[in-house]
Amino acid sequence: MALRSESAANGSIRGRVEVRAERTANTRPDTSGLGMAASREGTDRRRSVVYLESAPQSAFETREQPRARMDQRNEQFVPHLLAITAGTWVDFPNDDRTYHSVFSLSKFNSFDLGRYAAGRTKSIRFQSPGIVRVFCDIHPNMSAFILVFAHRYFAVTDEDGRYRLENVPPGTYTVTVWNETVSGRGDLPARIVTIGDNGAEVDADFRIQ
Amino acid sequence: MCTWRRLFALLLLLAATPAAAFAQVSLGGGVTVGGEVTATFGAHDDEPHSNRADGEKPAYFNYTDYAHNALRMFRVSLSGMWQPASQFAFLVEVRSENLDRVTPYAMYARVRPWKKLPLDFQAGRIPSVFGAYVRRYGTSDNPLIGVPLVYQYLTSLRPDAIPASADGLLFYRGLGWQVGPPIYPVGDKTQKPGVPLMTAYQWDTGVQGHFGGRLVQGAVAITSGTLANPRVDDDNDGRQWSGRVSFTPVVGLVLAASASQGEFLTRQITDTYNALLNQDNHYTQRGLGLDAEYSRGYWIVRGELIDSRWNLPKINNPPIDRPLHATGGFVEGTYRLSARYYVAGRADRLTFTRILGKSQPASAPGTWTPWDAPVNRVELGGGVKLTRHLTGRGVLQYNWREGPVQFIATKKFYSSAQLSFWF
């Protein structure tokens, strides 16, 4: 990243991420069940996170202890994809009538909330940047991703795949896209973009096959 | 040994495959597939003692079928579901143990007639509605490796061959892994394993209905076999009815009661003795069960109690002149130490009612003796989630029989390790 004049106006990066992925049928065959599983819409795997590979120094200044929320609703994590800064507390409220048991085996953010019932919330503070896969120990179909960033220059795409990174200081950046369909690949889709001194809006579209 | 090495290599290969490639495998068109590969490693327990250098007798505590040991087994299961509409699904699961024949474990249609009413019907080769453990056997929801005695331990009873007298039955105390003629002169003429109180290794064929209320849930089924001998084809023209009612007063607590009754002996045996005695008797298996589960935080505690009663014809003296009962139960606890590690334990007991022999048991003839040797088991172990889809388990298990028994050991200590991969 190359920073330009500190006094220049900040800009923004916007665009669209097109993901060629279907909703997954969120149902592992439950042959030992005695009845129909709860009707679920399936996981929308088209949501992505767009972020700056490296960010200006000011992005790392901690000003608050933010909170985020990941519900357990109808045997799904909602949202399925969450992006936060390191140090954020994430609440995991159980909105279902059954127990859930949220855990992660992720290397730097491993946790286990145990079983807890409807109406209760347990929380975890995510301290280390990285990708956190979240599961329920009772319901094997439930999974979610939490992307923990060291800075605040990231955005989750909306249902049309659109995103916007606001208040980006002038400079040249590598904008990268993460999507679960390409998770684990060494070469995530990325583009180099430059924010001029006038703080203009820059477009950067992506396509993930 | 080479086979086990190959199986272990296969499991590692599966485990090395990125989990994302397996998670929620959807083939489109409403078709999803899943499966589990489990390799369990333990010592042999079937060598005749004369062949063993240490002279130790085999004990067969964990045998599930002839030459199948629950603590030493490679199991593959594949399941699939086709759900063309939200209220209709077709499910199938095939399993193979030790790469023997592939068995259709489940194959049934599931229908929910009214979308907003949690009332479902299933028809085909269906999961048992009786008890609780039977529906979690073969899933990742098992903290230990051994199977509870009531669901696994082979008693000396068979549906297709029976002893002629109480002495015949007492001769086979503790030898349920292989019973038959000449001690059992009636029926099938080959040596085969006996049956457990209720088998976890096979499902029955029939129809069932299930109501999944918030506080109360209930299920009833009519099938062609019995708890101990589920069947695809009917061998006695009799039907088993079974049912279970469960109560969930608070989330995390389930209290349930089950009952069943069905024709046990084959038509050949029943017809022979009814004609001989000019009677119209039914030789049934009746099951009664209680089960409970409580979980909270990092704890899960489960328990089951099952009583099974069989009627056999009275043939020669000394007669088996009363119904044969077997009662078994277990308590199992699991505590999660962290997201990755847990510890678990189970205590099991299986008892049998007494009958009176004349020449048996050999060491104490003419005494009232349990018709099979009561068994106790304690299993302690733990597990580690190596990945979301790969779990390693290890257990120590101690079993003891209450004598007198012939030919086999009364006590045995086992250790076993398992790798289980599911997708």
Side-chain angles (χ1 to χ4, degrees):
Chain A
M1 178 201 67
L3 281 179
R4 295 193 182 168
S5 166
E6 288 294 324
S7 59
N10 290 345
S12 61
I13 304 168
R14 68 174 188 179
R16 185 164 182 269
V17 181
E18 185 183 346
V19 181
R20 297 281 179 87
E22 301 285 329
R23 277 180 177 270
T24 56
N26 227 6
T27 311
R28 186 170 177 251
D30 175 23
T31 52
S32 59
L34 297 177
M36 203 69 80
S39 174
R40 291 186 286 273
E41 292 182 346
T43 302
D44 188 355
R45 299 189 300 164
R46 292 169 299 176
R47 301 266 181 164
S48 305
V49 177
V50 183
Y51 62 94
L52 301 187
E53 280 281 1
S54 54
Q57 186 63 38
S58 60
F60 298 93
E61 295 168 359
T62 304
R63 285 182 289 273
E64 54 186 315
Q65 296 295 324
R67 291 193 88 91
R69 177 183 176 107
M70 179 172 273
D71 289 81
Q72 299 144 73
R73 189 184 308 150
N74 203 16
E75 294 184 17
Q76 282 188 293
F77 289 110
V78 181
H80 174 67
L81 174 60
L82 185 65
I84 58 173
T85 52
T88 300
W89 284 90
V90 177
D91 298 327
F92 291 91
N94 181 356
D95 299 333
D96 278 335
R97 292 175 180 173
T98 62
Y99 265 147
H100 287 296
S101 182
V102 185
F103 76 97
S104 177
L105 299 172
S106 297
K107 194 171 181 181
F108 298 109
N109 288 290
S110 172
F111 67 91
D112 184 4
L113 298 182
R115 295 181 171 217
Y116 56 104
R120 288 198 60 198
T121 298
K122 289 198 174 185
S123 306
I124 284 287
R125 189 178 188 196
F126 291 87
Q127 301 275 27
S128 305
I131 299 172
V132 183
R133 291 214 65 179
V134 181
F135 302 106
C136 174
D137 194 49
I138 302 169
H139 304 99
N141 293 313
M142 289 178 68
S143 71
F145 290 89
I146 298 176
L147 270 62
V148 186
F149 290 95
H151 60 73
R152 56 188 162 84
Y153 289 102
F154 57 84
V156 179
T157 59
D158 64 16
E159 58 188 12
D160 295 323
R162 300 192 183 283
Y163 73 92
R164 188 181 181 95
L165 298 175
E166 300 275 15
N167 206 24
V168 182
T172 299
Y173 303 96
T174 302
V175 182
T176 304
V177 179
W178 180 93
N179 181 279
E180 69 180 273
T181 60
V182 293
S183 180
R185 281 193 201 168
D187 52 339
L188 293 174
R191 290 185 61 175
I192 307 292
V193 299
T194 300
I195 302 288
D197 288 340
N198 59 356
E201 199 164 66
V202 178
D203 287 333
D205 293 338
F206 297 87
R207 176 177 288 185
I208 294 175
Q209 296 290 342
Chain B
M1 190 60 189
C2 287
T3 302
W4 280 96
R5 281 184 185 154
R6 282 197 293 271
L7 298 178
F8 186 68
L10 172 64
L11 201 58
L12 288 181
L13 182 67
L14 285 168
T17 307
F22 288 100
Q24 299 164 7
V25 179
S26 175
L27 303 180
V31 176
T32 52
V33 297
E36 184 163 344
V37 182
T38 302
T40 308
F41 309 90
H44 283 284
D45 184 29
D46 56 355
E47 291 291 315
H49 67 278
S50 58
N51 294 348
R52 293 176 61 120
D54 58 6
E56 187 181 357
K57 293 177 181 177
Y60 303 106
F61 281 112
N62 285 281
Y63 271 61
T64 65
D65 196 350
Y66 182 72
H68 283 216
N69 183 341
L71 299 187
R72 184 181 168 80
M73 183 179 289
F74 183 78
R75 193 183 67 238
V76 181
S77 75
L78 285 173
S79 57
M81 180 172 76
W82 176 46
Q83 189 167 6
S86 62
Q87 293 167 254
F88 176 77
F90 184 77
L91 295 101
V92 63
E93 179 173 353
V94 294
R95 292 185 184 181
S96 178
E97 290 181 357
N98 298 338
L99 301 183
D100 286 352
R101 69 186 190 280
V102 175
T103 306
Y105 193 76
M107 189 178 290
Y108 61 89
R110 177 184 288 167
V111 180
R112 172 169 289 191
W114 298 279
K115 199 167 188 174
K116 296 196 173 178
L117 185 66
L119 177 64
D120 298 279
F121 295 93
Q122 302 189 142
R125 193 158 205 184
I126 49 179
S128 174
V129 301
F130 188 102
Y133 178 88
V134 67
R135 287 182 300 282
R136 64 184 169 95
Y137 168 74
T139 71
S140 53
D141 192 18
N142 285 307
L144 297 165
I145 299 175
V147 175
L149 290 168
V150 287
Y151 288 100
Q152 169 260 311
Y153 186 78
L154 301 172
T155 71
S156 50
L157 281 187
R158 282 176 57 177
D160 56 350
I162 57 173
S165 68
D167 279 340
L169 187 58
L170 290 170
F171 176 86
Y172 273 122
R173 280 169 50 92
L175 297 174
W177 64 280
Q178 195 173 39
V179 295
I183 305 299
Y184 287 21
V186 181
D188 189 279
K189 300 299 182 194
T190 55
Q191 292 266 334
K192 287 181 183 173
V195 292
L197 275 66
M198 176 177 186
T199 183
Y201 295 87
Q202 195 170 312
W203 285 352
D204 217 340
T205 309
V207 296
Q208 67 187 202
H210 171 258
F211 176 75
R214 189 172 176 180
L215 276 176
V216 178
Q217 305 84 39
V220 292
I222 299 173
T223 53
S224 58
T226 64
L227 302 181
N229 184 34
R231 301 193 63 83
V232 175
D233 58 323
D234 194 358
D235 61 357
N236 56 23
D237 297 334
R239 296 285 178 269
Q240 174 185 255
W241 65 265
S242 56
R244 181 174 187 264
V245 177
S246 60
F247 179 50
T248 310
V250 293
V251 174
L253 176 63
V254 181
L255 305 168
S258 306
S260 74
Q261 181 152 314
E263 294 284 334
F264 179 66
L265 295 182
T266 60
R267 179 73 177 265
Q268 180 203 1
I269 296 175
T270 304
D271 285 355
T272 300
Y273 282 93
N274 279 343
L276 192 68
L277 304 171
N278 195 25
Q279 292 175 342
D280 186 24
N281 290 329
H282 293 273
Y283 301 106
T284 59
Q285 181 187 7
R286 186 202 69 185
L288 296 173
L290 296 171
D291 64 87
E293 175 181 314
Y294 180 68
S295 59
R296 183 179 178 139
Y298 302 98
W299 283 96
I300 306 174
V301 180
R302 292 165 165 144
E304 286 196 49
L305 182 67
I306 294 177
D307 177 81
S308 178
R309 184 193 70 183
W310 291 272
N311 295 318
L312 295 187
K314 298 173 198 170
I315 306 174
N316 292 340
N317 286 323
I320 300 170
D321 59 357
R322 61 195 62 202
L324 301 172
H325 281 262
T327 306
F330 67 90
V331 177
E332 175 188 287
T334 308
Y335 181 73
R336 280 168 60 183
L337 302 167
S338 68
R340 206 173 282 279
Y341 299 98
Y342 70 85
V343 290
R346 185 193 298 135
D348 256 310
R349 179 164 169 79
L350 180 57
T351 61
F352 304 89
T353 50
R354 293 170 186 269
I355 58 174
L356 183 62
K358 191 174 179 183
S359 61
Q360 292 288 336
S363 60
T367 57
W368 286 91
T369 309
W371 61 266
D372 203 333
V375 189
N376 305 283
R377 173 182 293 168
V378 175
E379 185 169 334
L380 300 173
V384 53
K385 280 192 173 76
L386 299 165
T387 70
R388 165 66 167 152
H389 295 266
L390 182 67
T391 302
R393 299 181 181 93
V395 299
L396 301 173
Q397 189 192 85
Y398 183 66
N399 298 259
W400 67 100
R401 289 187 175 93
E402 294 168 17
V405 292
Q406 308 177 84
F407 315 120
I408 53 170
T410 55
K411 300 174 183 175
K412 199 96 171 189
F413 177 83
Y414 302 97
S415 60
S416 184
Q418 184 182 74
L419 276 175
S420 178
F421 176 80
W422 66 269
F423 61 95

